[in-house]
Amino acid sequence: MVTAVLTPPPGSVGIDEILDRARARLARLDPHQTAEAVGRGAVLVDIRPAAQRAEFGEIPGAVVIERNVLEWRLDPRSDAKLPFAGSYDLEVVVTCQEGYTSSLAAAALQDLGLARATDLAGGFAAWRAAGLPTR
């Protein structure tokens, strides 16, 4: 019989606290601010898996980089970086479906040195609800 451990291990942190810490570091953007950022040259990165993009749609012009390879594709030091990811000054706005995973991802990009990384508050769902273009 497997016994459940209900007491968190010392030093562990729950996901709500991790998310709060990540968001405290970000200047999160609403959908219209995101569109403005893209208009001035920011890269909008969609980290959702293919199944979510197929079910809900996509934002035209967003660069698709699934979450499991995000850091490798955007770290200027990485041999696996994308051609546009050669600068630590790159403005990146990360989106997911509802704006949770994107906060964690944007904080991870800041850890890499991409200080201008942030996320779309509310994710793709908020973008669509704001009436902005989708496909």
Side-chain angles (χ1 to χ4, degrees):
M1 180 173 159
V2 176
T3 317
V5 177
L6 300 178
T7 304
S12 68
V13 179
I15 188 58
D16 290 336
E17 186 173 343
I18 291 171
L19 184 61
D20 288 345
R21 288 179 185 179
R23 287 181 172 168
R25 298 166 46 188
L26 303 174
R28 301 182 80 210
L29 303 180
D30 69 30
H32 294 285
Q33 291 169 320
T34 297
E36 290 170 11
V38 170
R40 70 173 172 264
V43 177
L44 179 59
V45 175
D46 188 338
I47 61 170
R48 295 175 302 151
Q52 275 190 330
R53 295 190 314 273
E55 180 178 350
F56 297 104
E58 297 185 33
I59 299 172
V63 177
V64 174
I65 307 174
E66 290 194 15
R67 179 66 189 97
N68 62 323
V69 295
L70 180 70
E71 290 86 349
W72 287 270
R73 299 298 184 256
L74 295 183
D75 183 351
R77 292 169 279 232
S78 173
D79 291 338
K81 72 180 173 287
L82 293 171
F84 65 82
S87 170
Y88 291 98
D89 194 40
L90 182 66
E91 185 178 9
V92 178
V93 182
V94 183
T95 189
C96 63
Q97 186 61 32
E98 294 182 356
Y100 294 95
T101 304
S102 59
S103 294
L104 301 177
L109 293 177
Q110 286 186 353
D111 289 342
L112 293 175
L114 298 168
R116 297 175 70 200
T118 191
D119 76 324
L120 168 56
F124 178 82
W127 179 276
R128 178 187 282 166
L132 293 166
T134 62
R135 60 172 182 215

